[in-house]
Amino acid sequence: MSGGGSSAPGRFADYFVICGLDTETGLEPDELSALCQYIQASKTRDGGSRFISSATEGENFEQTPLRRTFKSKVLARYPENVEWNPFDQDAVGMLCMPKGLAFKTQADSREPQFHSFIITREDGSRTFGFSLTFFEEVTSKQICSAMQTLYHMHNAEYDILHTSPTNDKESCSSAGDCNGTSVSKLQRFNSYDISRDTLYVSKCICLITPMSFMKACKKVLEQLHQAVTSPQPPPLPLESYIYNILYEVPLPPAGRSLKFSGVYGPIICQRPSTNELPLFDFPVKEVFELLGVENVVQLFTCALLEFQILLYSQHAPVPYLMGLHSNGLDDRSKLELPQEANLCFVDVDNHFIELPEDLPQFPNKLEFIQEISEILMAFGIPPEGNLHCSESASKMKSLRACDLVSDKRNGNIAGSPLNSYELLKENETIARLQALVKRTGVSLEKLEVREETSSKKDLKIQCDEEEFKIYQLNIQIREVFANRFTQMFADYEVFVIQPSQDKESWFTNREQMQNFDKASFLSDQPEPYLPFLSRFLETQMFASFIDNKIMCHDEDDKDPVLRVFDSRVDKIRLLNVRTPTLRTSMYQKCTTIDEAEKSIELRLAKIDHTAVHPHLLDMKIGQGKYELGFFPKLQSDVLSTGPASNKWTKRNAPAQWRRKDRQKQHTEHLRLDNDQREKYIQEARNLGSTIRQPKLSNLSPSVIAQTNWKFVEGLLKECRNKTKRMLVEKMGREAVELGHGEVNITGVEENTLIASLCDLLERIWSHGLQVKQGKSALWSHLLHYLENRQRRTTSGSFSTSGILLDSERRKSDTSPAMSPLRISLIQDMRHIQNISEIKTDVGKARAWVRLSMEKKLLSRHLKQLLSDHELTKKLYKRYAFLRCDDEKEQFLYHLLSFNAVDYFCFTNVFTTILIPYHILIVPSKKLGGSMFTANPWICISGELGETGVLQIPRNILEMTFECQNLGKLTTVQIGHDNSGLYAKWLVEYVMVRNEITGHTYKFPCGRWLGKGMDDGSLERILVGELLTSHTEADERQCRTPPLQQSPSMIRRFVTISPNNKPKLNTGQIQEAIGEAVNGIVKHFHKPEKERGSLTLLLCGESGLVSALEQVFQHGFKSPRLFKNVFIWDFLEKAQTYYETLEQKEMVPEENWQTRARNFCRFITAINNTPRNIGKDGKFQMLVCLGARDHLLHHWIALLADCPITAQMYEDIALIKDHTLVNSLIRVLQTLQEFNITLEASLVKGIDI
């Protein structure tokens, strides 16, 4: 409960309710349960289950009348109504007796059962219910004879169905075997005979309260029930006790404790103060005993990430609403559940959980589990839970009782710490943990079992020891959980984006607003936390938490829970003041336990308030008479109104204040100011009137259709929001005005968004399925589609599954280009099926979605899949989302918007798979490419690796090879062995295509490879760029460009013809240098996961190498006719000059000497490389190495002062202008702070 405002007059309870059998209306079947039985029966017809042998419409004859459910009614409630909490009869009736009325005979066990529930209203405020269900003898003759009649009918039907043909007998006995007893025995066992059996029916008493004091309410109800069943009548009529709890017992204020009287003994409850963790009165212990600590942490992770959680048990909490009822016989594998892909299935009875496929680990999970285990073991609870069902549970309890708790004074584990350690040593979970944690270098030998302080000697605790231990265990475990979050989010406030506009407009644009700087927050977190945190930040829960934070500026209007959290975060910040934002994954244990325990102990030792004792009421004589075993019909006249004045009401402010108090509670839930809240509640009501949540007791087809329609619209809305969010993230957020500049999406976050898109697709494909097949509905649909296509192609009909996007290629165009990839849904499925690393259907579906997104074909593929209407009709019911045409169209349209951005969500995730690559080399037709005699080779590098040298058969220009995923491609090294008569090769460009994703990279060259040609290079390093989509326009770009357009060709050598020289003036050159350096600086300012290719920024079209080339070419003296002079020639001359200078020992200062030596060492190393790279290749290598070692600015200074420069450059040259050289040096100095790592292909064969 979110702490907060008490209900209006501050009473402990608002209503006392009695539910049960209404003898006036008699036995009415409970429609909801009947519906569920009917569904069960129809499953049988479809061959879903073998346990029900007959499934005639509407009536399930295996269910004997005693096992059927009947409608329960709210028989009475006191008072009739209270203004601050209007009574919701339907909700209370259904939640008090979720399974309807149950009948039993004297042969069945009839233990009372307690359960609790919450009713949440449309404005977010909550009310809590606590009910005790017990059995009373049926005194009404009509009801008994009605039950007898039902039995006669049941037996008659049964005999008709189970006599005659032999095969039926067999099926009957097999059905019997499944149940472990033969059906006829079962039938007689469940029978009812009016003459010899006593019939009992369930009845329920319930308290509705504004706060969840579970233990106190349970005691109140149990004592009331005890009063009815004990042989001695209670000291006062029951009305006195109920009146007392309704009108005379107040709610304890925050931080106080309260004592009041039940029928037989005092009842104590205590409420945490505003700076403690909020009230939580349910025993945590039970969850750990049922599931074990490991499972609880995994389940907790699923809840935090908003996975769907299905509880499966014979005692399912409120079945059909929140959990699936197990009959104890069905096999889990027979359960047909939609959407298992992102479902956490919790089998409570068998103590195990099935997790969603890609559940990230909770941060520091091992240490966290160990910390919880230590606490559990201090209380004698085995960390692995009582896994071996009830038998071991009882053994464990007896062990706890005698061995562990022998030290009665303070309830710690018996004997010396040594004994407790021995006990831990034998514990399998701890042994497993020790083994794991040792690997992380933490010693567990000193595993502490918390000794509880013996302060209880001085403090006399008012509640019994068992109850106090529940309080202690609860608070210790909760503090440990809370501590994890305060540690992980210690500096979250820094990343909250405060809105620039006023509240009203912030509300209006809430959906478009970014409220938390996720990328920056994640970039601060330790690597192991990222998979969990990146998904947690995407949840509704986290968004609401941050909204809350934004809404409450000052302390006063802060949500109480947020206030507690913030105060703890502040404490942690004070402790970490030396290293404020340094985030480590060091595990910080919880330090707040003792303090929290102390405050509870103090409250329980000194009760702050004792309520008025129950007393005789002003009742008529003869009222409140006692009848053993029956809960009496209470006197409504005395219970319907509270005391006109007693000391409580006096203390309370007048009615309008009470109303204000209530409003405060609403506001606490909504955190809105008055007008806003009114507006929202009004909106909710209007909405409510048009699309009221259907009452579950009223499940007519039209209501089902309407509910379903809302669900379909919800799916569509979610799809719209998700696609929008993903696009905004990907394109660089529109929130630039919030001071983020150019923020890109992080790899982790992109994965999270795509995973949630996959979840949404699974949900859409699971909606309205006829029959569930396999865990992934989407993959199952794709397989059906594949099967259909194969059938059609084998039967010879025309298949259009692969579409070539090359129809418009002109006949006259004979220039070489890659034959385009077919667009084929089936081909993409086959690619996924061939990946041996992906084992499950869910995994395959996700991989297929990722691949389709990367190819920008998701919308197109799904449209094609859904165009097979026959198949969709066969697989889906009429109301399914995929059969609502308008919604389906809109959905595909939303997905189409992903084509606007480039995703690498397949390439970057499946890094180890084998991928076929197709290479096309385009030599120049005009200049003797056909006479080429040498043996060419090629080596392709990408972000994830490189191919090694691949020999290309002579005169083969196109080939396909397979190798491990290279990631995004960056460079191609191409060369030849210089053999034969004509070893000269002019290569225009190289194209490489990933045959699975279709990504095509173009590596422009436009240069000669051959001795004596161009710069004498036998190999070149080409830097590639990804070509955009496969449309016709782009195919034209792939054709051979006219020779002089190849940019690299113009750039690289100074030719005789002056008009080929790029005429850039000094201003343009400075700008080019600025842009190139700026590109590199920006690259390093992005989070690591978002950086593009550094090689492209260094050696690409407008990279650093190209810009420095322009600097050195500016004012270069025109050479003699027909002779090319390269920058490298100039650099070699400069090297010779410095070396001779050093031999003559005419060296100026030492600093200058180091620079000169460095320069010469690099030039020599590059010249001595075994590789056959030409002069321009060497210049490129020098620039890359200079950038890596932060030497470029030194070398520029050196060369500017070198006499060789004076000889080889004209006076107007940039390199001779001191002002320009100085500004160039300053620009290059900015690269000093970055650690530049060069791709292997750029510096092969050099070790400097």
Side-chain angles (χ1 to χ4, degrees):
M1 151 144 201
S2 22
S6 62
S7 115
R11 291 182 192 161
F12 182 83
D14 288 340
Y15 294 98
F16 179 78
V17 185
I18 306 174
C19 296
L21 168 64
D22 184 356
T23 44
E24 308 293 306
T25 54
L27 292 183
E28 297 177 68
D30 183 338
E31 284 174 38
L32 183 62
S33 309
L35 176 78
C36 292
Q37 286 173 13
Y38 170 67
I39 290 168
Q40 192 63 37
S42 62
K43 266 194 195 165
T44 318
R45 267 207 309 284
D46 305 339
S49 152
R50 344 170 278 211
F51 293 109
I52 301 164
S53 52
S54 78
T56 326
E57 298 262 339
E59 182 72 73
N60 180 357
F61 293 106
E62 274 312 290
Q63 286 286 17
T64 61
L66 273 183
R67 295 285 166 270
R68 292 181 204 163
T69 48
F70 299 93
K71 247 189 203 162
S72 65
K73 293 272 174 72
V74 173
L75 303 178
R77 61 172 193 260
Y78 310 102
E80 195 60 31
N81 219 351
V82 296
E83 55 175 303
W84 58 88
N85 180 4
F87 189 78
D88 183 339
Q89 180 139 345
D90 284 301
V92 174
M94 187 166 74
L95 294 169
C96 276
M97 302 189 88
K99 299 182 186 176
L101 291 174
F103 284 92
K104 296 196 171 187
T105 64
Q106 75 285 355
D108 303 305
S109 88
R110 303 187 301 282
E111 282 301 298
Q113 296 285 332
F114 173 82
H115 75 268
S116 56
F117 55 84
I118 297 181
I119 297 174
T120 307
R121 296 190 195 76
E122 56 197 18
D123 66 355
S125 56
R126 291 168 167 183
T127 310
F128 300 86
F130 302 94
S131 38
L132 185 74
T133 309
F134 50 90
F135 284 85
E136 272 186 2
E137 191 181 326
V138 178
T139 48
S140 156
K141 291 280 181 287
Q142 289 98 318
I143 300 289
C144 292
S145 48
M147 185 56 80
Q148 182 75 72
T149 314
L150 284 174
Y151 259 97
H152 290 320
M153 285 162 66
H154 173 76
N155 290 345
E157 288 283 357
Y158 185 86
D159 293 339
I160 292 166
L161 281 165
H162 289 76
T163 49
S164 63
T166 50
N167 58 353
D168 267 11
K169 273 186 190 146
E170 281 165 30
S171 73
C172 146
S173 67
S174 72
D177 298 341
C178 300
N179 282 328
T181 56
S182 88
V183 178
S184 54
K185 273 188 204 156
L186 185 81
Q187 171 142 7
R188 303 296 163 239
F189 172 70
N190 278 338
S191 69
Y192 166 66
D193 182 338
I194 197 163
S195 56
R196 59 158 203 265
D197 291 325
T198 316
L199 191 61
Y200 292 88
V201 68
S202 54
K203 188 176 218 172
C204 162
I205 50 177
C206 168
L207 278 176
I208 305 282
T209 66
M211 291 187 82
S212 60
F213 290 108
M214 192 275 297
K215 296 190 198 72
C217 293
K218 185 176 181 182
K219 280 190 181 167
V220 169
L221 296 172
E222 281 173 346
Q223 293 191 19
L224 284 171
H225 178 244
Q226 192 188 336
V228 173
T229 49
S230 70
Q232 249 48 55
L236 293 169
L238 290 187
E239 282 84 351
S240 296
Y241 301 104
I242 291 166
Y243 182 88
N244 181 253
I245 192 89
L246 284 177
Y247 301 113
E248 296 174 331
V249 177
L251 265 183
R256 301 296 175 83
S257 50
L258 164 78
K259 183 178 187 175
F260 61 95
S261 311
V263 184
Y264 295 110
I267 295 168
I268 284 163
C269 62
Q270 55 94 26
R271 180 172 163 187
S273 67
T274 48
N275 55 0
E276 294 172 63
L277 292 181
L279 175 66
F280 180 83
D281 204 29
F282 300 85
V284 173
K285 168 178 136 181
E286 291 176 9
V287 188
F288 286 99
E289 285 183 331
L290 273 172
L291 293 175
V293 67
E294 170 112 14
N295 282 344
V296 171
V297 171
Q298 297 283 47
L299 181 60
F300 180 64
T301 311
C302 288
L304 288 172
L305 299 180
E306 295 178 351
F307 279 104
Q308 292 172 315
I309 295 173
L310 180 66
L311 305 175
Y312 182 65
S313 166
Q314 296 193 49
H315 316 286
V318 190
Y320 323 125
L321 292 187
M322 212 208 112
L324 198 58
H325 185 73
S326 127
N327 60 9
L329 304 167
D330 278 329
D331 178 4
R332 155 74 180 103
S333 58
K334 297 234 169 25
L335 279 177
E336 290 179 6
L337 304 171
Q339 264 172 267
E340 288 177 75
N342 51 341
L343 177 74
C344 173
F345 181 85
V346 185
D347 187 337
V348 181
D349 304 347
N350 296 315
H351 317 280
F352 92 98
I353 66 178
E354 255 176 56
L355 297 168
E357 294 239 337
D358 48 358
L359 181 71
Q361 290 286 19
F362 191 76
N364 294 106
K365 183 175 144 200
L366 290 178
E367 296 95 323
F368 183 41
I369 287 181
Q370 190 213 322
E371 190 177 1
I372 300 169
S373 302
E374 288 171 15
I375 292 175
L376 291 174
M377 294 173 77
F379 286 87
I381 297 165
E384 66 275 19
N386 293 328
L387 294 184
H388 313 294
C389 303
S390 49
E391 191 181 328
S392 82
S394 57
K395 272 189 202 151
M396 188 66 210
K397 276 181 188 142
S398 62
L399 170 84
R400 253 197 325 245
C402 44
D403 309 346
L404 298 183
V405 201
S406 61
D407 179 0
K408 284 291 184 289
R409 274 197 326 277
N410 49 12
N412 35 336
I413 290 179
S416 66
L418 178 77
N419 291 7
S420 64
Y421 181 55
E422 290 305 311
L423 174 111
L424 301 189
K425 258 193 182 153
E426 291 161 22
N427 181 295
E428 38 187 298
T429 306
I430 289 292
R432 246 186 25 243
L433 276 169
Q434 272 181 318
L436 282 165
V437 177
K438 257 184 198 145
R439 285 193 301 224
T440 63
V442 181
S443 157
L444 276 193
E445 290 306 311
K446 306 185 288 292
L447 200 148
E448 345 159 2
V449 172
R450 290 174 48 86
E451 296 268 323
E452 293 163 21
T453 50
S454 48
S455 61
K456 271 193 251 175
K457 287 176 193 160
D458 339 315
L459 284 176
K460 174 87 176 69
I461 297 291
Q462 301 271 344
C463 62
D464 63 22
E465 187 141 335
E466 197 50 42
E467 194 174 327
F468 182 61
K469 290 189 88 165
I470 291 177
Y471 277 127
Q472 280 182 310
L473 176 61
N474 265 16
I475 197 67
Q476 289 188 20
I477 297 274
R478 292 176 67 214
E479 285 289 348
V480 169
F481 273 80
N483 176 53
R484 285 306 335 113
F485 281 88
T486 46
Q487 296 288 351
M488 276 192 289
F489 290 96
D491 42 10
Y492 85 102
E493 288 189 56
V494 186
F495 301 99
V496 175
I497 300 172
Q498 290 295 348
S500 43
Q501 69 275 68
D502 61 297
K503 246 183 207 178
E504 181 64 38
S505 42
W506 183 78
F507 259 112
T508 331
N509 305 317
R510 174 63 203 93
E511 287 206 340
Q512 283 80 43
M513 298 300 296
Q514 281 285 359
N515 62 2
F516 192 73
D517 182 358
K518 294 173 186 162
S520 310
F521 176 77
L522 289 172
S523 65
D524 265 12
Q525 303 306 312
E527 188 74 30
Y529 289 16
L530 293 180
F532 170 81
L533 283 177
S534 59
R535 297 185 73 159
F536 181 61
L537 299 190
E538 291 301 321
T539 57
Q540 194 57 52
M541 183 186 315
F542 186 75
S544 310
F545 168 72
I546 298 295
D547 281 354
N548 254 353
K549 178 76 186 161
I550 291 174
M551 295 294 300
C552 353
H553 292 299
D554 48 1
E555 278 300 305
D556 302 336
D557 62 347
K558 238 190 214 176
D559 164 45
V561 184
L562 183 62
R563 196 179 299 140
V564 174
F565 185 73
D566 280 353
S567 68
R568 291 178 174 226
V569 163
D570 292 342
K571 268 187 200 152
I572 286 184
R573 279 236 213 59
L574 285 175
L575 295 173
N576 298 352
V577 87
R578 289 178 300 277
T579 53
T581 53
L582 184 66
R583 305 290 296 132
T584 68
S585 46
M586 270 291 293
Y587 189 78
Q588 310 279 332
K589 286 187 87 163
C590 179
T591 52
T592 50
I593 292 184
D594 293 333
E595 188 189 334
E597 247 182 347
K598 193 86 190 127
S599 29
I600 292 182
E601 205 172 317
L602 287 169
R603 279 198 292 274
L604 291 175
K606 180 182 168 296
I607 300 294
D608 297 301
H609 189 80
T610 306
V612 180
H613 285 287
H615 48 84
L616 270 172
L617 299 173
D618 185 10
M619 288 164 64
K620 300 189 186 73
I621 294 184
Q623 281 186 340
K625 64 175 186 297
Y626 168 80
E627 191 178 348
L628 176 61
F630 290 96
F631 201 88
K633 190 151 172 48
L634 301 169
Q635 299 305 314
S636 53
D637 50 354
V638 291
L639 289 178
S640 57
T641 50
S645 82
N646 65 20
K647 56 184 180 171
W648 293 118
T649 39
K650 274 184 203 135
R651 263 184 221 177
N652 270 314
Q656 75 246 30
W657 289 102
R658 292 181 212 159
R659 269 200 296 280
K660 267 201 178 153
D661 219 13
R662 180 63 184 169
Q663 282 178 344
K664 186 165 177 240
Q665 188 186 359
H666 285 194
T667 320
E668 270 172 354
H669 288 295
L670 274 180
R671 289 101 205 177
L672 308 173
D673 61 34
N674 252 337
D675 311 336
Q676 294 266 241
R677 203 193 59 259
E678 275 312 309
K679 184 173 130 196
Y680 278 89
I681 291 178
Q682 202 42 54
E683 263 177 40
R685 290 212 176 103
N686 297 346
L687 236 159
S689 57
T690 51
I691 48 166
R692 270 277 172 226
Q693 270 300 324
K695 298 205 172 80
L696 279 164
S697 52
N698 168 24
L699 284 171
S700 64
S702 63
V703 171
I704 291 178
Q706 190 185 356
T707 312
N708 180 66
W709 193 245
K710 274 175 63 188
F711 189 75
V712 167
E713 285 178 335
L715 282 174
L716 186 62
K717 183 178 178 194
E718 191 179 342
C719 175
R720 184 171 62 241
N721 292 343
K722 272 213 168 69
T723 46
K724 185 171 179 183
R725 164 82 212 278
M726 287 169 77
L727 286 170
V728 169
E729 287 285 7
K730 190 74 177 163
M731 291 167 132
R733 306 207 185 99
E734 288 153 18
V736 177
E737 69 270 17
L738 296 172
H740 290 286
E742 190 185 2
V743 181
N744 211 333
I745 186 168
T746 68
V748 181
E749 197 170 356
E750 174 170 309
N751 265 339
T752 305
L753 291 173
I754 288 173
S756 74
L757 175 75
C758 294
D759 289 346
L760 174 66
L761 293 177
E762 283 294 355
R763 289 216 301 283
I764 288 176
W765 255 258
S766 309
H767 183 242
L769 258 181
Q770 296 275 16
V771 179
K772 181 81 199 297
Q773 296 170 341
K775 283 199 170 182
S776 164
L778 174 57
W779 189 249
S780 151
H781 193 164
L782 284 164
L783 290 173
H784 281 294
Y785 178 81
L786 181 64
E787 203 179 299
N788 272 7
R789 288 280 149 169
Q790 282 166 338
R791 246 187 261 128
R792 282 184 210 171
T793 41
T794 46
S795 65
S797 69
F798 176 66
S799 160
T800 56
S801 61
I803 300 159
L804 288 175
L805 269 189
D806 199 30
S807 46
E808 297 177 46
R809 179 168 293 285
R810 289 184 295 282
K811 296 281 181 291
S812 62
D813 181 13
T814 54
S815 71
M818 284 191 177
S819 53
L821 265 186
R822 295 199 322 171
I823 290 188
S824 159
L825 164 66
I826 287 173
Q827 193 52 51
D828 286 348
M829 278 186 70
R830 295 238 167 85
H831 286 314
I832 301 299
Q833 286 170 320
N834 294 339
I835 299 176
S836 56
E837 285 92 334
I838 307 174
K839 306 276 190 279
T840 63
D841 285 358
V842 173
K844 285 175 183 161
R846 294 192 165 195
W848 182 84
V849 169
R850 284 173 179 279
L851 178 58
S852 306
M853 280 190 74
E854 187 159 325
K855 294 178 86 163
K856 303 191 176 185
L857 292 173
L858 184 59
S859 182
R860 183 172 183 157
H861 277 351
L862 292 177
K863 187 173 187 173
Q864 192 179 333
L865 175 66
L866 296 171
S867 63
D868 189 337
H869 298 302
E870 286 309 305
L871 178 62
T872 315
K873 270 187 187 156
K874 192 174 102 186
L875 297 178
Y876 289 91
K877 300 193 169 91
R878 178 64 202 92
Y879 64 78
F881 182 96
L882 297 177
R883 289 185 63 189
C884 303
D885 292 339
D886 289 353
E887 278 66 24
K888 183 176 75 185
E889 283 304 311
Q890 286 183 52
F891 156 71
L892 291 171
Y893 178 70
H894 288 313
L895 293 185
L896 194 58
S897 56
F898 286 134
N899 293 7
V901 288
D902 296 321
Y903 279 101
F904 288 89
C905 47
F906 180 83
T907 307
N908 291 342
V909 168
F910 300 102
T911 51
T912 55
I913 62 174
L914 283 178
I915 288 187
Y917 289 95
H918 186 75
I919 303 173
L920 170 72
I921 298 167
V922 181
S924 165
K925 277 280 182 300
K926 303 181 182 109
L927 297 161
S930 50
M931 293 144 53
F932 179 55
T933 56
N935 299 301
W937 56 267
I938 194 166
C939 170
I940 301 167
S941 308
E943 289 180 353
L944 300 174
E946 67 167 38
T947 56
V949 171
L950 301 167
Q951 296 298 335
I952 303 172
R954 208 175 316 160
N955 295 328
I956 297 281
L957 297 174
E958 209 165 339
M959 60 184 268
T960 302
F961 69 96
E962 206 173 48
C963 73
Q964 190 171 323
N965 186 354
L966 300 171
K968 293 181 197 165
L969 302 187
T970 49
T971 60
V972 158
Q973 296 153 65
I974 187 169
H976 62 77
D977 62 358
N978 200 31
S979 61
L981 293 172
Y982 191 84
K984 302 197 250 310
W985 201 23
L986 177 58
V987 176
E988 279 298 338
Y989 58 87
V990 177
M991 306 260 287
V992 183
R993 180 173 67 205
N994 176 324
E995 292 292 89
I996 292 184
T997 65
H999 283 315
T1000 307
Y1001 295 81
K1002 184 176 182 181
F1003 299 86
C1005 176
R1007 307 286 300 266
W1008 283 96
L1009 291 156
K1011 287 276 183 241
M1013 296 296 289
D1014 196 339
D1015 64 346
S1017 177
L1018 288 186
E1019 64 173 272
R1020 292 195 184 278
I1021 301 167
L1022 312 180
V1023 180
E1025 283 202 73
L1026 178 65
L1027 293 180
T1028 45
S1029 66
H1030 321 279
T1031 53
E1032 170 67 10
D1034 295 314
E1035 277 170 31
R1036 288 200 197 118
Q1037 289 172 18
C1038 307
R1039 303 190 183 122
T1040 314
L1043 191 59
Q1044 75 277 15
Q1045 270 191 13
S1046 178
S1048 31
M1049 189 165 176
I1050 317 167
R1051 233 179 51 200
R1052 292 285 163 88
F1053 55 93
V1054 183
T1055 51
I1056 42 166
S1057 141
N1059 51 354
N1060 264 2
K1061 220 183 286 184
K1063 291 210 171 60
L1064 292 186
N1065 59 34
T1066 49
Q1068 289 168 316
I1069 295 173
Q1070 279 180 295
E1071 194 177 327
I1073 288 276
E1075 301 233 324
V1077 171
N1078 201 13
I1080 296 172
V1081 172
K1082 268 187 181 171
H1083 170 87
F1084 283 102
H1085 276 297
K1086 288 179 184 170
E1088 211 166 310
K1089 298 268 190 294
E1090 301 169 19
R1091 297 174 182 171
S1093 159
L1094 186 58
T1095 307
L1096 202 57
L1097 296 173
L1098 289 168
C1099 313
E1101 208 57 48
S1102 48
L1104 186 64
V1105 174
S1106 155
L1108 283 171
E1109 227 163 49
Q1110 301 285 2
V1111 169
F1112 284 109
Q1113 281 181 353
H1114 188 262
F1116 209 40
K1117 286 187 178 164
S1118 290
R1120 294 190 309 280
L1121 210 57
F1122 302 122
K1123 168 129 172 48
N1124 289 338
V1125 179
F1126 293 89
I1127 298 169
W1128 191 252
D1129 300 328
F1130 158 64
L1131 295 173
E1132 282 182 324
K1133 284 187 180 170
Q1135 178 205 9
T1136 320
Y1137 167 75
Y1138 287 123
E1139 280 172 348
T1140 51
L1141 206 63
E1142 198 156 305
Q1143 284 155 9
K1144 294 180 190 165
E1145 294 179 355
M1146 293 166 55
V1147 179
E1149 60 192 301
E1150 194 179 331
N1151 198 352
W1152 193 90
Q1153 189 181 350
T1154 324
R1155 290 178 192 180
R1157 273 189 196 150
N1158 254 338
F1159 176 70
C1160 298
R1161 188 165 60 95
F1162 274 85
I1163 298 272
T1164 313
I1166 292 172
N1167 272 330
N1168 294 342
T1169 171
R1171 294 172 72 178
N1172 288 306
I1173 50 173
K1175 293 178 177 176
D1176 279 341
K1178 289 175 179 175
F1179 175 73
Q1180 174 169 302
M1181 204 178 262
L1182 182 73
V1183 173
C1184 290
L1185 290 166
R1188 182 192 72 184
D1189 297 344
H1190 307 130
L1191 297 170
L1192 285 178
H1193 56 285
H1194 293 322
W1195 294 345
I1196 296 278
L1198 201 63
L1199 292 168
D1201 291 342
C1202 178
I1204 306 291
T1205 311
Q1207 296 165 24
M1208 296 185 73
Y1209 282 88
E1210 291 162 8
D1211 292 342
I1212 54 147
L1214 187 149
I1215 195 94
K1216 283 186 171 180
D1217 183 326
H1218 280 290
T1219 329
L1220 293 180
V1221 169
N1222 283 339
S1223 87
L1224 173 62
I1225 289 172
R1226 276 200 302 279
V1227 170
L1228 289 173
Q1229 273 174 330
T1230 56
L1231 296 179
Q1232 268 182 290
E1233 57 186 283
F1234 305 116
N1235 184 7
I1236 293 177
T1237 312
L1238 298 177
E1239 197 176 311
S1241 61
L1242 297 179
V1243 288
K1244 248 193 208 151
I1246 287 217
D1247 48 347
I1248 289 192

